[in-house]
Amino acid sequence: MVKVRHWTRPNAFKAQVNENDFKLVEEDLSEDLQQGEVLLESVYLSVDPYMRIYGDPIGEHKTMFGEACLKVIKTRNGEFPLGTLVLANSGWSTHYLSKDGKDLRSIPYDLGSLSPSLSLGVLGWSGLTAYFGLRILEPKAGEICVVNGAAGAVGSLVGQLAKQKGLTVIGFAGSDEKCNWLTNDLKFDYAFNYKKISLEDAFKKAAPKGVDVFFDNVGGDFFHEMVTKHMATHGRVSICGSISNYNDTEKHKFPQINMDILMRQLTIRGFTVYSFAKEFDTAFNDMVPLVKKGELICKETVFEDFDKMPVAFVGLFNGANTGKAVVKASSYP
């Protein structure tokens, strides 16, 4: 038997998430595998804001859902030899039993000397989200790009990719330390602490003629003010997330923005990265070399030990992480 630990979510979230929303459950899992089965141990697990609003707990224990990078520790499936690294939506669990391997995904590129954790971030859903979310904005050299949540897993990549396309990049984050990282390390042209400066004052300095492309991770008041006051004519907006609203218990009401969209001739588009599944290989072909050459910087906030899953998740909503937040559950190789 192998001792398996799950972080479960017994009840639906209510208002602000906190560590008490989760419960740790243990069970014994047989190592006596049937033909085709694969037993895996989690190496790195991902925590992401979308987990606050999407998805249902997994199985009888109501295990919190999510993606992990796992290693094969026992196998009766020829497609997954011992020691193989794979990705799976296995939830917040130390171990996972795949019945036939069909729910496991091979990492579709050579990691080389890179950490396997990057398969959950810059070379995973975060990177794909940044890549395609920026692409639909049709960015052009010389334009001005704004990204909020700019020091997060997605926003930090959006800004770098936009810079590589020749745009002036303006980022908004929640601390001076994060803003310094954006300008000094990631080479954003401007970075503003939204807790200390109004959008109006920021754009008087950085974009007095308006913003051409806006990648929105935050929603709420930020989105409303951008659309009604700061977008240039023919501006484009990509809606990736709305983290400012995820803990709301009721929907906020905003003044109508139809005429602002009309008069500025704006294009506003929401997207989910799964819509681009047929092009994932193209994105990885572009991004893997950039990461390996150090031209796409991917900072991680790594929480050591599986017990830190709730701490890591709650931290997403109070600014505890810079870049991608992951939990390291075991060593590899």
Side-chain angles (χ1 to χ4, degrees):
M1 292 288 185
V2 60
K3 185 72 70 176
V4 181
R5 294 188 294 157
H6 308 266
W7 277 109
T8 68
R9 193 193 80 188
N11 302 301
F13 292 123
K14 294 181 180 179
Q16 183 73 34
V17 294
N18 65 77
E19 295 170 33
N20 294 327
D21 289 328
F22 306 96
K23 180 180 179 182
L24 190 61
V25 174
E26 293 188 357
E27 68 172 336
D28 291 324
L29 182 64
S30 174
E31 296 184 74
D32 185 15
L33 304 186
Q34 303 299 310
Q35 186 60 39
E37 291 185 334
V38 186
L39 181 61
L40 306 107
E41 182 178 15
S42 296
V43 179
Y44 288 96
L45 300 100
S46 181
V47 289
D48 301 280
Y50 77 86
M51 296 175 178
R52 172 64 179 80
I53 56 171
Y54 295 123
D56 297 316
I58 302 169
E60 62 177 304
H61 295 297
K62 294 188 176 181
T63 300
M64 185 65 180
F65 69 95
E67 187 181 36
C69 177
L70 311 96
K71 60 185 177 185
V72 176
I73 59 173
K74 197 165 186 178
T75 181
R76 293 193 63 187
N77 187 318
E79 294 186 28
F80 298 98
L82 197 65
T84 303
L85 279 178
V86 300
L87 302 171
N89 294 318
S90 49
W92 292 13
S93 181
T94 56
H95 296 78
Y96 181 64
L97 178 64
S98 173
K99 294 296 185 181
D100 54 14
K102 293 181 180 180
D103 50 353
L104 307 178
R105 308 190 311 280
S106 299
I107 297 174
Y109 43 79
D110 178 20
L111 278 167
S113 61
L114 299 175
S115 169
S117 60
L118 299 189
S119 64
L120 300 174
V122 62
L123 299 179
W125 294 121
S126 301
L128 293 171
T129 300
Y131 182 94
F132 291 108
L134 180 63
R135 193 182 76 175
I136 64 176
L137 290 170
E138 300 179 355
K140 301 176 181 64
E143 291 188 321
I144 294 177
C145 171
V146 166
V147 56
N148 52 20
V154 174
S156 59
L157 302 176
V158 170
Q160 293 180 79
L161 293 171
K163 281 293 296 179
Q164 292 176 9
K165 294 180 181 295
L167 282 77
T168 296
V169 175
I170 305 168
F172 287 85
S175 72
D176 292 342
E177 181 181 3
K178 290 180 178 180
C179 289
N180 290 335
W181 175 63
L182 293 175
T183 53
N184 294 337
D185 292 15
L186 304 192
K187 307 306 179 184
F188 280 43
D189 296 281
Y190 301 92
F192 296 103
N193 183 343
Y194 69 85
K195 297 176 182 178
K196 291 186 174 183
I197 189 171
S198 67
L199 296 190
E200 183 175 359
D201 288 342
F203 290 130
K204 282 180 181 177
K205 176 181 180 180
K209 295 183 179 180
V211 173
D212 300 296
V213 294
F214 169 38
F215 192 107
D216 185 25
N217 291 303
V218 172
D221 293 326
F222 197 114
F223 168 80
H224 186 267
E225 184 173 340
M226 282 295 301
V227 171
T228 58
K229 295 183 178 181
H230 304 300
M231 297 301 297
T233 302
H234 299 296
R236 289 92 69 198
V237 180
S238 174
I239 300 177
C240 173
S242 189
I243 194 171
S244 68
N245 304 122
Y246 290 168
N247 287 318
D248 289 350
T249 55
E250 59 183 38
K251 290 186 177 181
H252 290 273
K253 295 181 179 179
F254 294 96
Q256 292 190 15
I257 59 175
N258 303 55
M259 289 304 297
D260 298 286
I261 296 171
L262 171 62
M263 297 308 293
R264 287 185 170 84
Q265 302 177 68
L266 304 180
T267 300
I268 301 177
R269 177 175 172 180
F271 77 100
T272 60
V273 72
Y274 307 104
S275 300
F276 303 92
K278 293 181 180 180
E279 300 181 79
F280 283 178
D281 285 345
T282 299
F284 288 136
N285 287 339
D286 287 345
M287 290 193 294
V288 170
L290 294 175
V291 174
K292 288 185 175 181
K293 290 186 290 185
E295 295 175 5
L296 188 59
I297 296 172
C298 38
K299 188 169 185 175
E300 295 178 304
T301 300
V302 181
F303 293 82
E304 299 280 349
D305 199 293
F306 180 75
D307 289 347
K308 295 292 181 62
M309 290 295 300
V311 175
F313 180 64
V314 172
L316 297 174
F317 299 93
N318 59 31
N321 66 296
T322 300
K324 180 73 181 88
V326 294
V327 174
K328 185 176 182 181
S330 65
S331 60
Y332 179 85

